[in-house]
Each structure stands twice: as structure tokens, then as C-alpha cells.
Amino acid sequence: MPDSNPLLVRLETLPGISAARLELLERLGLRTVGDLFFHFPRTYEDLNDVRPIAGLSAGSIQTAQGEVVEIDGRSLSDGRTVVSVVLSDDGTHCLEGVWFNQAFAARRFRYGQRLSFSGKPKWYRDHWQMNGPRVQILDGGDEQPGVVPIYPLTEDLRPEHLRALLGRALDLHAAGVADVLPAALRHRHDWPSFDRALRDVHFPASLETATRGRRRFVYEEFLILQLALALRRREVRDEGRAPILPVTPTIDERIRRLLPFQLTADQDRAVSEVCRDLAAEKPMQRLLQADVGAGKTAVAVYALLVAVANKHQAALMAPTEVLARQHARTLDRYLAHSRVRRLLLTGALTPAERRDTLAALAAGDIDLVVGTQALVQEDVRFARLGLVVIDEQHKFGVHQRARFRRLGVDPHYLVMTATPIPRTVALTVFGDLDVSIIRQLPPGRQPVATRWEPKNQRERVYTRLREGMAQGRQGYLVCPLVEESATLDVKAATQTHAELQAGPFRDFRVGLLHGRQDEETKAAVMESFERHELDLLVCTSVIEVGVDVPRATLMVIEHAERFGLSQLHQLRGRVSRGPVAGQCYLFAEPAGDEGRQRLRAFLRTRDGFALAEEDMQLRGVGEFFGARQHGLGELRIGNLVRDGDLLGMARKDAFALVAADPGLRRPEHALLRAAVLERYGKTLDLAEIG
Ligand code: ADP
Ligand code: MG
């Protein structure tokens, strides 16, 4: 019975609402009372900052009152009309309100009338001016200044109509909405009730109450998300069963002997955290976060070999064919003298090869498989899968993690990401995982010298490249990322490649790598670059992720302003992989302040974690981490930059709640449970909790 929930009541049932207005609302995506309630103000104008005219200052929104001493309306030479109304509160200081093309505005006012203007004052010649101020007629009984909500994009719907409608909807329906937040949590944090909070959001008495109201709903949203993650974690980890894969001293010694270097302290710590998980029956659900080039692969290899040593199969999944092959080659090197039976499973196999490969996997004749998404296709079966390692997890979504389970096994999971993720994002997107972090780079790494070069230095930069390549170094030239158009990216790269090979680098071997090449070609180009059959690789951001060629230490990034900070950091990470100091030259023409700030941060900072935070602050979460890409959907109200404290709070409460009431079966949690299932049941495979 949908009508029992007031939030589902259709707007057309509200009294006195016209068809025209309904259509405007519909265009904003507002169809139900709930839609309307949760159409939150974007911000507020605080009109409580009332000052004498002499005390106004430029910048923030302020309010001043006075008597009308002048009214003027005239036409400008460009055809616009301008209305000007001047107030004074002491006979000396004046505040002028101006309106363009609103001749009717003049008709509202008369000399001697007492008005208040609210807006941003600007000093003009000898007096303050406000462009299109909000006006109140003080002796006409208008309401007092207060806090005015500013709604996002209302098209032709006038704010006062929206407010009137909201007022009616609140009066009729808000009290009837059952509060999702259990009383215990509401009291713990002293949150206002649903009804109160909603009124405070839309009709606040002060900025403080507006903020409190909003924060309550943000908390609620975060709580539901974190409950979903807590439930998923419980389901997968606490109720799943994975093989016990212990590491004996012999196994440990054998594995370490295969690695060509000693693990760093951070790698060692990550390895022991992984080993502790593998030795338990609960499936490991661990995220390995590391800065670029910090050496995640070695940790992955260690884990894979633990599984194999325990007579189980292990899979390593990479987001691209290039990376899958690179991993396969690394394993070939490390395992050249071992009996581990290995296999590369990619989309490039012929149907016959694929059939044989799958048969071998299913029969248990393969110990270690490396592959792309091809690994999670329906027909892939394992004889005894013990561990799945997923590289560059941020390229995959939550869905993909769910997939292996449906194959009927409970393997241990290690997911790795080289894009350091701000804490708040990690708690959201990977909130059901344990986390290991590698910050330290392997010994002997030299910092990359990064320079933002003026346009006229191109020749000099090319000379540096030629000098370096003559000494046996290799380089990348990264072509501009063309927004929204992979085709243009390719064109830019292809053209640059031809020009460079024919011109400044005619004495060198220049290769081309871009996203539109087929996987075979890409992998072939990458391999010849790795074998040093190419000196310079002209590429799009395909190489952004994971590519490891220690001899390549030179990089030019064209139009660096078009890349995000984290992306730039990833790119630069490619030339910081060996003992020789890398050089990274940027050409960039940032249009605005934000762009310049981003580049300066990049020049200043080498710490990927710090850059990720900064990137998110500058660009917002959506841009930083394509909201759709991670599969959890957008947050409706909460904002990971602004509301980080609430996220931590909600997470603690959610995990405690699930520990106390694992299936959310208690009656006081029924509404929460329904809300969690409705929002995340499908995405997170929670259908059968409890
Ligand atoms: P990422 O974490 O970015 O995936 P990789 O695993 O590709 O980094 O490692 C980057 C480079 O560092 C590789 O060339 C690898 O051989 C090297 N490396 C990793 N760990 C160590 C170590 N402990 N000592 C020396 N070199 C290492
Ligand atoms: Mg890697």
C-alpha cells in the first residue's frame, strides 16, 4: 500500500497545485513528496548580518536598512534599462540598489519609504552599490531578515513558489513520516527528529539550525551506506569459508629466495597482514593501497605463491591486457626455475585456446593464472581457487568483486590500488575491506625532477630528451587528454607521433600507444618498449596505470592542465621506477585558478596520498573518483569532502549495530534494514541478509 508512506505521495495530490507548476517540478525530477523534501538547498544566504550603511564591506552578503532618497530609471545606450534606488540611513552614507531590465521594480518604491537591501556590496565611486539586492519593505509588514535557502537550479520555478509548496507539504505530511533513525542513535548524537530537521533545512531560523538539520540527514545517508558495507563484510567474511593457507618458515624462505630484492619494511608489514588473513578460515578481504612504484606486485606475488604452496589455485587479475602481460612476464622472471604451472588468460585467445585453457583450469592442471576481466566470465571454473588478487581495483567496480562469489567459491581476496585514495573515499568505496598501506618507496629511488616549462622552451626540452636517450634512457611523451573524445585523443597522439619521428627525433625509434589500438597491438608496442626496441613512446594516458619499465626515466606531459592531480601523479610514477632520477617536463596552460593550484601542488608534492586529498578538495569527489564507476551510486546529500567527520561517526555506529544485531532483525531496526536493502541490496548482493 504505497500511500501509507507519505514520502511516496504524488505531488499532484497537494491542494492547489497547478498543472503548469507540476510540469516545472517534474522537470526538476520532483514527483513525490519525498522528492520535494529531499530537494535540499544548495546553500543559504544569511540576511542576519545587518549593518549601518557606513559599516558595509565588500565580499560577503550583508543587509542594510534606510530611507529611499532617490529613485531613478533610465535606458542605457545598449538598450538595457536600469532602475536605481538609493537608501540612506544617516543622510550621508548611501547604498544604491540597481536592477537591469526590470523597469517594474521601480514601481514598488516611493520616496521616504523604509527598506532593507540584502546583497553583496560593491564600492562604486563614492557610495556602496548592490546589484539586484533582495528587498524588504520594512514598514509594510514584510518578514524580518533571516536565513534564506538557495535551491539548486529551479528553472522557471520561482523560489517563493517552491517554498510555499514545501510549506504545505511539510504541514500535511512531515509528521507522518516514520523516522528511519532508531531512537537510541538519535539520542546519542542529539539529532533533531525527522520532522524538525526537515523544517530546519527548508525554513531555518539560523544557519546553525539549518546545518544541524542537514547534518542529521547526511548522517542518516552515511549510516545506511555503512550498514550496507558492514552487512556485506559480515556476509562475505564472517560467514564465508575459505581455505586455510598457512605460511611455514620453509614456504616463506622459498618465496623470498625467488624475489630479486629484499622487501621493504612496509612491504613486509603488508605481507604479514596478508599472511595472517590467509591462515584463517574467513576469506581475506583486504585492500592494499600504495603509492605509485612502491612495489605492490611483490606483495601480490608473495600471496599468490602462498596459495600455490598450499596446493591451491591463485588468480591475478589486471584491468588491461598490457598490464596482465606485464604481470605474466614478471612472474615468468621470478618463477623461471620453479614448477609452478602458469597461464595467461586474456581476451586475445582463440576460441580453441580458450577452451583448452579453461579445461586445464577446471581440472586443476594450472596453479597460477594471470588475466584480464576474461577471468570473471561465466564459463571460467576453477578446481580449487584459493586466492584472487585484483590489481588496480579502482578500475573495477564493486560488482566485479561480487562476481567470483557467484562462481561458487569463497577465495581469499587481495585488491590493490595504486591511486592513493583519500580516507573518506576508501571508507565509502572499499568500506567493507581491511586496509594495508605501503608508503615507503624501495631504497635508492631518486625523486623525479618535475618542471613546468614555458612554451618557448620546447626545443630545449627536446634536446634534454635526445641527450638522455643517447645515453640509453627511454622516454614517454604523453599527449593531451581531449575531454570527452577518445577519437581526438588518438588523432592528437597519431599526429604528434608522425611529427616527432620525422622531425626532432628522426634519429631515434619512436613508438605509438593509444587506447583505440587493439589489445594485441598495445601489448606488442609495450613489449618492444620494454625490450628497448623503442626509445620514445608517444602515448595517451593508457600508460597511466601500472606500466613498469625502469629504464624509462624521461617524460613530457602535454597539456598537463587537462589531467587530474592523481592522474598526473600516476603518469609521473612511470619514470620513478629505477635508481636513475627521472625527469618530468610539463607543458600546460591552465585557464583558471583551480588549474594553476593543481599544477603547483603537483610540482610541490611527491606524496600520492597528500595529492589525492588535495585533488579531491579541489575538484570534488565526483570528479576525483567517477561516482558511477565505483558502483555504489552517488550520495544524495552527503559530501565526502565536507562531511568527513560524519562518515567516521556513521561508520562506527553502523559496524557496532551490525555486531549487536547481525541481521538487523530487531523491531527498532526494521526501517533501517528496509532502507539499506532498498538502496544497496542489489548492488552489494545483500538480498538474503539475516
Ligand atoms: P606498483 O606498486 O606501482 O605496482 P611495482 O610493483 O611495479 O610498483 O614496483 C615498482 C618497481 O620497484 C619494480 O621495478 C620493482 O621491481 C621494484 N621493487 C619493488 N619492490 C622493491 C624492493 N623491495 N626493492 C627494490 N626494488 C623493488
Ligand atoms: Mg602495479
Side-chain angles (χ1 to χ4, degrees):
M1 227 187 34
D3 285 355
S4 62
N5 182 353
L7 294 177
L8 299 180
V9 170
R10 315 254 339 153
L11 290 176
E12 56 263 35
T13 64
L14 290 180
I17 188 166
S18 71
R21 202 149 292 163
L22 271 175
E23 203 194 303
L24 290 173
L25 290 163
E26 167 89 34
R27 251 189 268 159
L28 296 174
L30 310 180
R31 288 173 201 95
T32 63
V33 165
D35 295 339
L36 188 64
F37 283 173
F38 288 102
H39 188 64
F40 275 16
R42 179 167 53 75
T43 177
Y44 296 89
E45 274 180 13
D46 188 355
L47 307 187
N48 289 322
D49 185 2
V50 184
R51 308 185 183 192
I53 293 174
L56 291 174
S57 62
S60 64
I61 290 177
Q62 293 148 50
T63 299
Q65 310 175 337
E67 240 169 58
V68 177
V69 295
E70 201 180 315
I71 302 177
D72 183 28
R74 65 204 142 83
S75 299
L76 300 176
S77 55
D78 62 6
R80 287 187 302 170
T81 60
V82 56
V83 170
S84 144
V85 175
V86 180
L87 304 183
S88 182
D89 56 359
D90 58 3
T92 319
H93 295 94
C94 291
L95 169 61
E96 180 187 22
V98 291
W99 290 264
F100 292 96
N101 289 338
Q102 297 181 41
F104 58 87
R107 269 178 260 137
R108 291 177 65 191
F109 309 119
R110 30 182 189 76
Y111 282 87
Q113 196 178 24
R114 283 186 39 76
L115 301 180
S116 109
F117 284 176
S118 302
K120 285 189 184 168
K122 198 174 68 188
W123 187 252
Y124 180 70
R125 294 198 184 144
D126 58 354
H127 63 277
W128 288 107
Q129 199 179 56
M130 286 179 184
N131 190 351
R134 187 182 292 275
V135 182
Q136 293 187 72
I137 300 171
L138 293 178
D139 26 41
D142 267 10
E143 50 183 303
Q144 285 303 301
V147 175
V148 181
I150 310 295
Y151 288 90
L153 213 73
T154 51
E155 305 214 5
D156 292 329
L157 184 67
R158 304 260 298 270
E160 57 268 32
H161 292 156
L162 183 64
R163 279 164 65 77
L165 200 62
L166 261 162
R168 247 176 292 153
L170 278 167
D171 288 343
L172 280 171
H173 295 296
V177 176
D179 205 328
V180 168
L181 282 187
L185 287 179
R186 222 165 51 223
H187 293 145
R188 181 180 311 161
H189 303 296
D190 201 17
W191 291 126
S193 68
F194 179 90
D195 187 5
R196 178 73 264 153
L198 208 53
R199 282 172 199 280
D200 287 346
V201 164
H202 292 292
F203 297 95
S206 69
L207 272 185
E208 286 73 50
T209 49
T211 307
R212 268 195 69 66
R214 179 182 170 277
R215 280 171 61 84
R216 182 218 123 105
F217 289 110
V218 173
Y219 170 82
E220 185 177 310
E221 181 172 40
F222 284 160
L223 184 74
I224 289 169
L225 169 65
Q226 292 297 332
L227 279 171
L229 292 166
L231 288 167
R232 182 182 155 83
R233 181 183 159 88
R234 193 171 172 87
E235 186 178 74
V236 175
R237 220 184 85 94
D238 300 354
E239 276 151 33
R241 272 195 167 197
I244 295 175
L245 308 172
V247 182
T248 61
T250 324
I251 293 178
D252 177 69
E253 195 195 321
R254 274 210 329 258
I255 295 176
R256 284 178 196 267
R257 227 185 304 137
L258 292 172
L259 299 175
F261 41 70
Q262 240 192 323
L263 297 182
T264 63
D266 276 9
Q267 283 171 323
D268 258 331
R269 190 160 28 78
V271 161
S272 52
E273 285 162 359
V274 167
C275 290
R276 208 178 49 222
D277 291 353
L278 289 176
E281 191 184 28
K282 291 176 182 177
M284 168 165 73
Q285 296 277 303
R286 184 168 289 278
L287 171 71
L288 179 57
Q289 270 213 71
D291 211 338
V292 198
K296 288 184 301 294
T297 315
V299 176
V301 170
Y302 190 107
L304 294 167
L305 293 178
V306 170
V308 174
N310 280 283
K311 308 266 181 297
H312 276 80
Q313 291 172 303
L316 171 58
M317 182 157 114
T320 63
E321 184 110 7
V322 167
L323 273 191
R325 289 191 186 215
Q326 179 181 289
H327 282 318
R329 284 194 301 277
T330 304
L331 285 167
D332 284 345
R333 270 203 317 276
Y334 294 178
L335 302 178
H337 304 294
S338 88
R339 279 171 322 213
V340 175
R341 295 163 299 175
R342 304 181 297 276
L343 188 79
L344 180 64
L345 180 63
T346 69
L349 298 184
T350 66
E353 287 169 334
R354 185 176 160 80
R355 209 173 39 242
D356 292 349
T357 303
L358 293 186
L361 264 182
D365 296 338
I366 296 296
D367 303 311
L368 188 53
V369 58
V370 179
T372 55
Q373 276 95 329
L375 277 178
V376 275
Q377 262 141 39
E378 294 296 347
D379 54 347
V380 182
R381 295 274 179 282
F382 292 87
R384 27 166 225 292
L385 183 61
L387 167 70
V388 177
V389 178
I390 303 182
D391 196 12
E392 308 300 349
Q393 157 82 48
H394 66 284
K395 295 272 163 182
F396 300 106
V398 175
H399 282 300
Q400 228 113 21
R401 276 195 274 142
R403 279 303 296 276
F404 276 101
R405 283 210 81 214
R406 278 193 229 118
L407 298 175
V409 286
D410 271 343
H412 293 283
Y413 266 105
L414 178 64
V415 299
M416 315 201 287
T417 171
T419 307
I421 302 166
R423 207 183 97 82
T424 51
V425 178
L427 288 183
T428 323
V429 183
F430 300 119
D432 54 338
L433 307 180
D434 296 309
V435 179
S436 294
I437 291 182
I438 311 181
R439 275 176 188 276
Q440 185 182 40
L441 297 180
R445 279 294 163 76
Q446 305 285 327
V448 178
T450 310
R451 268 193 291 266
W452 180 359
E453 297 285 351
K455 262 201 300 234
N456 61 13
Q457 290 302 303
R458 183 171 293 278
E459 265 320 305
R460 198 180 52 83
V461 169
Y462 284 172
T463 306
R464 294 276 167 284
L465 250 54
R466 281 191 297 259
E467 287 167 3
M469 293 188 307
Q471 293 161 10
R473 297 164 70 177
Q474 289 170 276
Y476 302 98
L477 191 136
V478 184
C479 283
L481 189 76
V482 181
E483 291 294 325
E484 312 291 344
S485 166
T487 321
L488 288 179
D489 278 355
V490 169
K491 211 174 133 206
T494 312
Q495 197 175 332
T496 308
H497 172 255
E499 285 166 11
L500 292 178
Q501 179 69 86
F505 299 104
R506 72 181 85 76
D507 299 329
F508 295 90
R509 298 159 300 177
V510 186
L512 174 65
L513 185 68
H514 62 68
R516 284 292 168 95
Q517 287 162 329
D518 61 48
E519 292 291 336
E520 281 293 310
T521 313
K522 270 191 264 188
V525 172
M526 223 31 246
E527 271 152 47
S528 48
F529 187 66
E530 208 171 296
R531 285 196 298 265
H532 203 176
E533 293 158 10
L534 294 170
D535 302 298
L536 183 66
L537 194 58
V538 173
C539 48
T540 56
S541 52
V542 191
I543 57 144
E544 180 196 328
V545 153
V547 168
D548 181 37
V549 181
R551 207 183 297 112
T553 54
L554 303 163
M555 175 170 282
V556 178
I557 304 177
E558 302 282 352
H559 281 290
E561 77 279 3
R562 296 191 191 164
F563 295 89
L565 254 181
S566 300
Q567 239 182 335
L568 286 172
H569 182 65
Q570 280 291 314
L571 286 169
R572 179 168 61 184
R574 301 305 120 219
V575 292
S576 157
R577 321 221 114 215
V580 178
Q583 273 149 305
C584 180
Y585 304 96
L586 312 179
F587 290 106
E589 292 160 37
D593 256 0
E594 189 229 286
R596 260 189 301 279
Q597 259 173 287
R598 194 138 39 97
L599 287 170
R600 276 196 220 108
F602 183 59
L603 297 178
R604 187 175 66 232
T605 315
R606 291 200 194 92
D607 178 348
F609 288 89
L611 283 174
E613 284 290 344
E614 193 136 2
D615 204 11
M616 190 170 84
Q617 302 276 350
L618 285 172
R619 292 197 302 166
V621 186
E623 290 293 312
F624 169 78
F625 203 88
R628 259 155 271 103
Q629 177 184 320
H630 67 52
L632 290 174
E634 316 247 6
L635 290 167
R636 280 174 208 161
I637 316 169
N639 175 315
L640 294 180
V641 177
R642 262 207 307 193
D643 306 314
D645 64 320
L646 289 173
L647 182 66
M649 191 162 130
R651 181 174 175 83
K652 232 175 99 203
D653 292 345
F655 278 70
L657 205 77
V658 169
D661 181 14
L664 297 186
R665 282 293 167 193
R666 291 189 200 150
E668 67 268 31
H669 297 151
L671 288 171
L672 261 183
R673 180 172 191 277
V676 170
L677 285 181
E678 187 200 313
R679 184 93 210 260
Y680 296 109
K682 225 164 143 206
T683 339
L684 289 181
D685 249 358
L686 293 175
E688 68 290 38
I689 49 162

